[in-house]
Structures are given as C-alpha cells and as structure tokens.
Amino acid sequence: VTTSPDYDRRVAEVQLLSADPLPFPLRVWRDYEFLYRDTRTSAVATCVARAGPVISEAAPYPWFESQILLESSLCSAAAQDFTRAGVLVDRAEHIINETKLTQTSIRVLNFRGQRLVETGYFREAIQLASDGLARFDKGSFPARRAYDFHGIVMLVAGQLNLPNTGYGASRMMADIGENNGLPLFQMLGRCREAGFALSLGLRTEAGAALKSAETALNQLGDIATAKTYWRTSRVAWLESEGDLQSLYRMLEEARENPAKNESLYFDRNLIAALCRLEARMGHRARVEELAERFWKNAAEIYPGLPPGALRAFRPELESISRALTAVRLRDGDQIGALTAWQRFLAFDERL
C-alpha cells in the first residue's frame, strides 16, 4: 500500500496486508497507510472509531504518531467534531516540536488552514496560507506543501466568489503538479483553473486548462477519483456551451454502468447542470424528471451521511430547487413552486 491515489487497483494488496500478521513496527506503518487511504476516500465519514486504536499503538514512534494524529483529525472533522480535530492537531504539533520533526511541522499549518476554511474563518485561513507559503520559501520542503497552501487560497476564493484569486491560486496548484511530475495535482489544479476561467469569461484559457487536465488524466490511468474530477469539469464546460446532447449522453453512460461511471458527487453536478439548461429553455417536464431522479437518490443515500458530507451537497440542491421553482412559476403553478422551495428549505434546516 502506498500513498498513491490509485487505491482501487490495490485492493488485493490491501487485503493481503490486512490478513497478514506483521511485526509491531510494520503493523503501525500498515495501519497508518490504511488510515491515510480512508481519509482520502468516502471512508473518512466513518473512520473516527478506527482512528483511536491506531493513535494508541503509534505512541512509541513519534513520526508515525504525529502523522496519525494529523490524519485522524480529518476523521473528526468529517464527523463535524471540530473541537476534537483541533485537539488532535495540537497534540501532533507538540510531538513534532519536541522531537524536532522539521519536515513534518509545515503540515500542521495546512491542517489548521483546512479546518479554518471548513468552519468559515476565511480571513484567518488566507493569513495562515500566506504564512505557510512564506515558511515554505525559507525551507527545503517538498513542492506538495506549497500546493496545499495554494489549495487553501483557492477554496476560500470559491467560498467568497473571488474568481480572479481562485484562478491565480488554481494555476499555481496546477503548475506545481506539472513541474514536479505530479499528474494528479496537475489535473486537479487544471480542472479548478478551468472552472474559474469560465466564471471570468476566459473561454480560451478554460479550454486550454481542460486539455492539460485531460493529458494528466491519461498519465494517471484508470483512477476513479481522478475521473470524477475530470468529468465534473467537463460538465461545466458543456453547460457553458449549452450542449444538452453531450450532457445527456454522459447521464446515459452513468445509468448504463453506475458502478464504473457514476458517483454521487458527479451525479449531482451533472443533474444540476441539466436542470439549469432545461429551465432556461422552459422545458418543465424535463426539469421535473431530473429533479425527481435527484431527490429519489437523495432519499436513499443522504440519511446515512453525516452533516459535513451533506453540507457539500447544498449548492447543487439549491440550484436544482431553483430551476424547478422557476419553471413552475413560469407556468403559473405557484403552489408547486412553493412546494419545491419548501422541500429544499426542509433539507437546509438539517445543516
């Protein structure tokens, strides 16, 4: 098991390592790798219980203990226990300072910055990212660390509708990936860059960013998470082109082979884009059908998700509800429009 994003193709290795009795130090290492994998997949929503024993067994090894504490903070944050997440990061910082783990120390700033963004402290997050980049410039840290801080700036820009700032930060993320042989980071950065470019009306730049993202995706191979990011960016491009035919083709492909082509994140973005386009064209029946498909999926999946995971769905749910409300109002169906909006508000109250 490695920190590669290609977890799907390593299932056999993971199962083998899970079953094998290993010497204690190797078991700590293995469990750290498992935790790292969990915090970068949907398993992050439920990894709190598993994190505790891993923290305890790592105590004899300061480097592993500090890394595991940092990763475990992601489990707590996913469960919306931000106080616990902060405590874990503080514990990790104490061990790092005591044992002078200089290369690890810069990760503390990144984890704190991510939590600041998630809890709405955007000004503080930007300041911390700036401090992190200044520290990066003075040290000899891996390029990945600069990527993390530009990522914080990009996330804040998205939340505060600062497309120029987001565009610049995402370009830096992509350049770091491209210049350091990190195709996953290149692809993620270019996908984000394309989105901000579209919001700024920079269609040529958006097209070039998507092409670069596709090149990086081809280097990565068959990685489900990477494909989801790419397809989501492709959806935004096709929506800007008003290309309903291509969007419906993507939807049909997802329906034909959901295990391979569809994820909840991708599905909600695709349906929201179709709803917006169909609403602008006045096609109420299609908006009704798309919205119902989405809410049906939501009823099956959302009850098992923690509030943090649900909150990430809000923009698309609001977009779909607005489209449905608009087409019903256009037809003079005021009761139907009110019902559609109240359905969204009822969801929103859960957050």
Side-chain angles (χ1 to χ4, degrees), residues 69-107:
L69 285 166
L70 290 174
E71 297 300 331
S72 297
S73 74
L74 296 177
C75 301
S76 295
Q80 298 296 283
D81 189 349
F82 293 110
T83 300
R84 172 67 174 167
V87 168
L88 292 171
V89 173
D90 289 344
R91 284 177 59 188
E93 183 179 38
H94 177 73
I95 294 168
I96 288 166
N97 290 339
E98 272 200 336
T99 54
K100 296 180 172 56
L101 297 170
T102 306
Q103 289 292 303
T104 303
S105 64
I106 199 168
R107 296 194 76 208

Side-chain angles (χ1 to χ4, degrees), residues 41-46 74-82 118 264-265 268 294 301-317 347 350-351:
T41 67
S42 58
V44 69
T46 57
L74 296 177
C75 301
S76 295
Q80 298 296 283
D81 189 349
F82 293 110
E118 291 173 355
L264 193 56
Y265 175 74
R268 75 177 194 252
F294 191 89
I301 298 170
Y302 291 177
L305 295 177
L310 283 172
R311 190 171 294 114
F313 289 57
R314 189 186 187 282
E316 288 76 27
L317 282 168
F347 167 86
R350 295 179 59 188
L351 306 182

Side-chain angles (χ1 to χ4, degrees), residues 191-244:
C191 285
R192 296 287 195 172
E193 178 186 344
F196 284 113
L198 283 175
S199 68
L200 291 167
L202 304 173
R203 298 194 59 78
T204 301
E205 290 81 354
L210 279 176
K211 185 175 181 180
S212 175
E214 187 174 19
T215 299
L217 180 65
N218 291 336
Q219 294 177 34
L220 286 167
D222 189 20
I223 298 178
T225 304
K227 285 187 173 181
T228 296
Y229 272 96
W230 159 249
R231 290 199 306 266
T232 302
S233 296
R234 180 71 175 158
V235 165
W237 174 264
L238 292 172
E239 182 184 3
S240 73
E241 293 275 291
D243 190 347
L244 276 171

Side-chain angles (χ1 to χ4, degrees), residues 107-266:
R107 296 194 76 208
V108 172
L109 295 177
N110 174 45
F111 278 77
R112 285 197 174 126
Q114 296 285 347
R115 299 297 80 75
L116 289 171
V117 174
E118 291 173 355
T119 51
Y121 291 92
F122 300 129
R123 181 172 63 180
E124 291 83 354
I126 287 285
Q127 183 60 60
L128 187 146
S130 298
D131 294 344
L133 287 169
R135 184 170 175 181
F136 174 85
D137 285 338
K138 293 177 181 177
S140 56
F141 300 100
R144 162 68 190 274
R145 300 305 161 221
Y147 177 96
D148 292 336
F149 295 122
H150 288 299
I152 291 171
V153 175
M154 183 272 297
L155 289 173
V156 171
Q159 292 287 338
L160 298 182
N161 192 27
L162 301 171
N164 285 291
T165 300
Y167 182 56
S170 57
R171 287 190 66 180
M172 290 298 296
M173 292 165 63
D175 287 347
I176 289 170
E178 189 169 353
N179 295 334
N180 290 275
L182 301 168
L184 177 65
F185 298 148
Q186 176 188 346
M187 192 216 68
L188 295 179
R190 294 297 180 217
C191 285
R192 296 287 195 172
E193 178 186 344
F196 284 113
L198 283 175
S199 68
L200 291 167
L202 304 173
R203 298 194 59 78
T204 301
E205 290 81 354
L210 279 176
K211 185 175 181 180
S212 175
E214 187 174 19
T215 299
L217 180 65
N218 291 336
Q219 294 177 34
L220 286 167
D222 189 20
I223 298 178
T225 304
K227 285 187 173 181
T228 296
Y229 272 96
W230 159 249
R231 290 199 306 266
T232 302
S233 296
R234 180 71 175 158
V235 165
W237 174 264
L238 292 172
E239 182 184 3
S240 73
E241 293 275 291
D243 190 347
L244 276 171
Q245 183 177 1
S246 295
L247 287 170
Y248 274 113
R249 190 181 304 120
M250 295 177 81
L251 186 63
E252 287 304 316
E253 289 173 355
R255 285 173 170 169
E256 289 170 4
N257 193 359
K260 182 177 180 181
N261 294 315
E262 187 173 12
S263 73
L264 193 56
Y265 175 74
F266 170 63

